[in-house]
Amino acid sequence: MYRERSAGVAGAVLWTSADPGGARSVRVLPDGCLDLIWSSAAGLLVAGPDRRAFVSVSAPGQRWVGLRFPPGVGPAVLGVPADELRDSRVPLAALWGDRAAADLVERAADDPAALLPALAARRLRAAGGPDRLGARIAAGAAAGVPVAAIAADLDLDPRALHRRCRHLFGYGPKTLARILRMRRALALARTGTPLAEVAAVCGYADQAHLSRDVRDLAGVPPTALLAG
C-alpha cells in the first residue's frame, strides 16, 4: 500500500509504503529528486537522484516513510551535493555522523511521518532556503527549453549551468530535461492520451523515440508502466 501527501516543506511530498504480506519489489523511476527515508528495517537512509530506474525490494512487513524533495531542494537540506549521492542509497549516518543519526533513528521510530518534515524544515531554515535557481532550471528543463536558453536566462555560461545542475540535481541539464520529459509523457499517457499524441506533445520525434527513451530510463517500455 503506497500513499503520498503534501509535506508542507518547500513543496516536498511525504510518502508511505507498507505491505503486510510477502516480499515485493517496486520500480522507482528517475525524477531528479533526493529522498530522506525511514525504514522499519534499515533506519534512516538517503536516496540520491537516479539516472535509471531503481528496483526497491521490501521484506515481508517492512514499512517505509519518505520525504521526497522537489528537484534542486535536497542538497540544501542534506548538506551534500546531489552528484555525490547519484545512483545510490546511503545510511544517513554516512552524511551526518553516527551519533546524530542514531539519535534521529530513535526519535523517528515513534512517528517518522512527523519527524522527517520537521527535521527538513529546520535544516532548510538553517541553510537559508533552497538554491533559488533550482526551481527555475527545473522548470525550464521540464518545459523543453534549450540548455543555451536556460543558461542565458540565468546569466550563466553553459559550463557554470552544468556545474550548478550537477550540484542541485545530480546530473547535467540535458539528462535532467530527458528525465523530466519522460515523467511528463507518462503522466499524460496515464490520462488516456494515445502514445503517438503523447510523443508529439512532449517533443519526441515519434512514438518509437518515446518508447526507446522510456525503456532506456525505466528499464521497461511505456506500455508496461501504464499497465501497472
Side-chain angles (χ1 to χ4, degrees):
M1 185 179 298
Y2 178 87
R3 292 193 176 94
E4 290 185 354
R5 64 177 174 83
S6 172
V9 181
V13 171
L14 186 75
W15 58 267
T16 59
S17 179
D19 188 351
R24 66 188 182 102
S25 62
V26 176
R27 185 176 299 274
V28 182
L29 302 185
D31 55 10
C33 301
L34 283 77
D35 290 50
L36 179 58
I37 301 170
W38 174 85
S39 160
S40 60
L44 287 168
L45 312 166
V46 173
D50 296 315
R51 286 174 289 188
R52 286 175 173 79
F54 174 82
V55 178
S56 175
V57 179
S58 297
Q62 187 172 2
R63 295 185 298 122
W64 302 83
V65 177
L67 190 63
R68 181 180 306 116
F69 303 106
V73 174
V77 176
L78 298 169
V80 179
D83 56 352
E84 292 187 12
L85 300 169
R86 185 176 55 226
D87 299 325
S88 64
R89 304 306 186 260
V90 300
L92 186 64
L95 306 183
W96 294 358
D98 292 337
R99 185 172 180 178
D103 176 63
L104 290 170
V105 168
E106 184 176 349
R107 291 163 54 195
D110 293 330
D111 191 355
L115 181 131
L116 296 184
L119 173 63
R122 185 169 68 250
R123 296 270 306 186
L124 202 55
R125 284 195 300 270
D131 188 316
R132 294 182 179 181
L133 293 187
R136 294 175 63 186
I137 294 171
V145 177
V147 171
I150 294 175
D153 180 60
L154 300 176
D155 198 25
L156 296 172
D157 65 63
R159 289 185 179 182
L161 175 64
H162 190 84
R163 289 193 299 270
R164 199 70 162 261
C165 283
R166 285 178 62 91
H167 177 92
L168 291 171
F169 311 110
Y171 21 67
K174 291 184 179 179
T175 299
L176 176 66
R178 187 179 176 218
I179 286 170
L180 296 181
R181 179 170 66 169
M182 177 196 69
R183 297 191 67 88
R184 179 187 173 206
L186 291 173
L188 183 58
R190 289 189 177 104
T191 68
T193 304
L195 288 177
E197 184 178 342
V198 169
V201 169
C202 294
Y204 294 93
D206 51 28
Q207 183 176 335
H209 180 202
L210 164 64
S211 295
R212 287 194 304 272
D213 215 43
V214 171
R215 183 188 289 274
D216 185 48
L217 292 169
V220 294
T223 50
L225 295 171
L226 297 172

